[in-house]
Amino acid sequence: MPVNQTTDLSRPRGARIHAPAALLGSLAVLATTLPTEAAEAADTGIMGAKHGPAVEATNRAATTTTAAITTATPTRHVVRPGDTISGISSTYGLRTADVLALNGLGWASVIHPGQEIILTAAPDGAVAASGIGGTHTVAAGDTVFAIAQRHDTTVDAVLAANGLGRDAIIYPGQTLALPGRMALASASSATTAPATGSGSSEAVPALDAEQIANVQMIISIGRELGVSERGIAIALGTAMQESWLRNLDWGDRDSLGLFQQRPSTGWGTAAQLLDRRYAILVFFGGDGDPNGYTTRGLLDIPGWEAMSYAEAAQAVQISAYPDRYARWEQPAYAWLAAHG
């Protein structure tokens, strides 16, 4: 839980950031259904050693049916609301693992309505029109995350293809290279295993209605204040770490609310900190901070834009566990894309 210290009244208030940007992309749908061993065994057609005539006839019929399904399988599927990779695979009689591999996806990958999922591999020598490879011209409001989602690739693959770091700034009119399938596979394998440092890979947890409402409020207020997409993502991850994105009326010592701010360290009264709008405003700080100069929000931290994700969150929260914010960086951008 955060210690949240008060600050010197003489320090200048940080300048507001005037770069609100509407993320492109559609509502993300998590592909989280994992296959059972039984389902995988059925897919491979493995049967026991003792087969009678009736079983053999059944197997031949099943093989014929599967062949018919495969013959009729289109080359790709356009994602609809509610689709999952496992559901799409089942519809076309395919193995989930095969469809994931074909599209360079993992079990925690996000798919979205309108996205094209490749169902069959292109013939040798043919170029698959998968949206992977080529270039993308940055439009106003674009982020690397939204571009990656739109072109069915990953943030890490786009950054690697363009020699960019996670703190890089993109601008309208800039041309970004989109990674080819080998680059995508390389980036995906590099981020599959959980890591512990800044920018670590974390499966995106599904949110319930209460959490989504709080995500939407944080995003809305952040944009109202002119906070950058990165600043909003930092707020989302901080709230997840501190309160599971819930407006808690309890916490460590007198910590309360979305960000577990403490009345005893000057963040506000208990009633104020349980007011979600108030709590979000004082986390962001800047010119819209109802606390004035009593506390220091994200926009008041000198050079916060150049800090790592976890460092920026810690500069506001002063937590006893500063490294724990990093795990929410990638999920926060996913929530921002899905609910912003």
Side-chain angles (χ1 to χ4, degrees):
M1 296 298 176
V3 177
N4 291 334
Q5 298 176 347
T6 57
T7 57
D8 186 355
L9 298 181
S10 64
R11 61 163 180 78
R13 171 66 67 189
R16 289 180 61 183
I17 296 174
H18 299 281
L23 271 176
L24 300 179
S26 306
L27 178 64
V29 182
L30 288 179
T32 55
T33 306
L34 298 180
T36 62
E37 291 182 2
E40 291 297 312
D43 281 340
T44 58
I46 298 173
M47 301 296 294
K50 297 181 180 179
H51 293 172
V55 175
E56 294 291 350
T58 300
N59 289 344
R60 285 195 296 272
T63 301
T64 301
T65 301
T66 301
I69 291 174
T70 302
T71 301
T73 300
T75 57
R76 54 182 42 80
H77 170 90
V78 178
V79 176
R80 298 183 294 268
D83 274 354
T84 63
I85 292 294
S86 60
I88 294 168
S89 303
S90 177
T91 297
Y92 296 107
L94 304 172
R95 294 199 330 154
T96 302
D98 291 341
V99 175
L100 289 172
L102 191 59
N103 289 272
L105 301 174
W107 291 106
S109 295
V110 176
I111 61 175
H112 57 83
Q115 177 179 345
E116 288 190 345
I117 298 299
I118 301 171
L119 301 174
T120 58
D124 291 343
V127 177
S130 63
I132 299 176
T135 61
H136 174 91
T137 301
V138 178
D142 271 356
T143 66
V144 174
F145 182 87
I147 293 168
Q149 288 287 294
R150 183 175 181 180
H151 294 282
D152 309 334
T153 183
T154 66
V155 170
D156 289 314
V158 173
L159 292 175
N162 292 275
L164 301 175
R166 285 193 166 270
D167 293 330
I169 297 173
I170 61 175
Y171 53 87
Q174 179 179 358
T175 299
L176 294 179
L178 297 173
R181 187 166 302 284
M182 290 190 67
L184 174 59
S186 175
S188 297
S189 63
T191 58
T192 297
T196 56
S198 176
S200 63
S201 178
E202 181 78 12
V204 181
L207 304 179
D208 60 27
E210 177 188 358
Q211 291 171 309
I212 290 172
N214 290 329
V215 164
Q216 291 172 333
M217 179 171 278
I218 291 171
I219 294 171
S220 175
I221 292 174
R223 290 185 174 151
E224 174 188 320
L225 296 174
V227 180
S228 67
E229 302 289 90
R230 185 167 184 272
I232 294 173
I234 290 169
L236 292 174
T238 301
M240 182 53 136
Q241 176 60 36
E242 296 294 353
S243 68
W244 306 289
L245 280 166
R246 302 188 189 282
N247 194 29
L248 301 181
D249 61 359
W250 57 274
D252 177 49
R253 288 167 284 187
D254 58 338
S255 300
L256 296 168
L258 284 170
F259 297 95
Q260 291 290 279
Q261 295 146 332
R262 299 177 57 194
S264 63
T265 55
W267 285 92
T269 66
Q272 287 173 325
L273 297 181
L274 289 173
D275 178 329
R276 293 180 300 160
R277 179 176 178 82
Y278 182 98
I280 295 167
L281 286 171
V282 296
F283 174 84
F284 282 128
D287 295 339
D289 192 340
N291 264 350
Y293 295 98
T294 303
T295 52
R296 187 172 71 165
L298 181 65
L299 302 183
D300 305 318
I301 307 297
W304 71 268
E305 300 96 331
M307 296 178 180
S308 71
Y309 185 92
E311 288 170 344
Q314 170 66 1
V316 180
Q317 297 297 99
I318 318 298
S319 170
Y321 306 99
D323 295 333
R324 294 185 179 180
Y325 299 110
R327 66 183 298 212
W328 300 114
E329 181 173 3
Q330 292 184 27
Y333 280 105
W335 298 326
L336 181 55
H339 305 293

